[in-house]
């Protein structure tokens, strides 16, 4: 019998792969930046689901730090595209 | 046994994104593909139950490396092979 959280983790990882296809074939740079941001958000969600699946409370802290830092990477790329950096 | 499916998906994603870093001619696209590579490596460390390594990898890969690459691309050229 498969766990319900494991099925949710698998669905999120398959969505990450679909966003990765958009990253690979995206014709312009903003397509790739939006794919990067989508992958970041999906990865924060799957980290919290993995913390539930593995039964470790300390793993949620990694997801919080990750959600803060993924913003910085997207912000740096967006500043470069906008010509402000 | 059942975690092998997660490892299979994430490791194949790591290999594909590492190939994209070499395949892209635009250096900005290569930097974005490297960010994806770093994030997938962080979640692979996470599944292997090493949260401190995943935390350091996410901090270095997401915050520092992308900003440093953007500053370096701004200082030099964006297309590969243009010369300075």
């Amino acid at each position: 019998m498969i766990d319900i959280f494991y099925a949710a983790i698998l669905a999120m990882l398959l969505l990450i792969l679909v966003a990765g296809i958009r990253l690979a074939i995206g014709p312009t740079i903003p397509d790739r930046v939006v794919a990067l941001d989508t992958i970041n958000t999906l990865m924060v969600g799957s980290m919290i689901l993995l913390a539930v699946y593995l039964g470790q409370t300390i793993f949620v802290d990694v997801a919080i730090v990750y959600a803060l830092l993924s913003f910085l990477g997207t912000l740096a790329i967006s500043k470069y595209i906008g010509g402000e950096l | 046994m059942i975690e092998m499916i997660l490892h299979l998906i994430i490791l194949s994603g790591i290999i594909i994104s590492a190939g994209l870093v070499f395949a892209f001619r635009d250096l900005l696209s290569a930097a974005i593909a490297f960010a994806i590579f770093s994030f997938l490596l962080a979640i692979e460390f996470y599944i292997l139950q090493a949260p401190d390594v995943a935390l350091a990898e996410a901090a270095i890969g997401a915050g520092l490396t992308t900003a440093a690459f953007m500053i370096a691309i701004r200082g030099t050229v964006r297309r590969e092979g243009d010369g300075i």
Side-chain angles (χ1 to χ4, degrees), chain B residues 8-22:
Chain B
L8 183 65
I9 293 173
I10 293 172
L11 289 175
S12 58
I14 285 176
I15 290 173
I16 291 169
S17 59
L20 284 178
V21 174
F22 292 100

Side-chain angles (χ1 to χ4, degrees), chain A residues 1-3 6 9-10 13-14 16-17 20 23-25 29 32-33 35-36 39-40 43 46-48 50-51 53-54 56 58-63 65-66 69-70 72-74 76-77 80-81 85, chain B residues 1-6 9-10 12-13 16-17 20 24 26 28-29 31-33 35-36 38-40 42-43 46-47 49-52 54-55 58-60 62-63 66-67 70-71 73-74 77-78:
Chain A
M1 174 183 171
I2 189 167
D3 197 2
Y6 186 77
I9 292 164
L10 273 184
L13 286 181
L14 290 177
I16 286 175
L17 283 188
L23 179 102
I25 68 171
I29 295 296
R32 294 189 171 119
V33 179
L36 173 73
I39 287 175
N40 286 333
M43 213 169 276
S46 54
M47 274 184 179
I48 293 175
L50 273 168
Y53 177 70
L54 296 173
Q56 302 280 335
I58 197 68
F59 279 18
V60 181
D61 298 338
V62 182
V65 175
Y66 193 86
L69 286 174
S70 65
L72 285 181
T74 311
I77 299 172
Y80 177 75
I81 291 173
L85 187 65
Chain B
M1 174 60 195
I2 201 166
E3 283 87 1
M4 280 302 149
I5 304 173
L6 292 180
I9 293 173
I10 293 172
S12 58
I16 291 169
S17 59
L20 284 178
F24 281 145
D26 192 1
L28 187 55
S29 300
I32 295 172
I36 296 294
S38 174
F39 295 154
L40 287 173
I43 203 168
Y46 193 87
I47 290 178
Q49 303 197 15
D52 46 354
L55 197 61
I60 300 294
T66 308
M70 287 304 117
I71 293 171
I73 290 172
R74 182 203 56 185
V77 294
R78 183 170 161 182

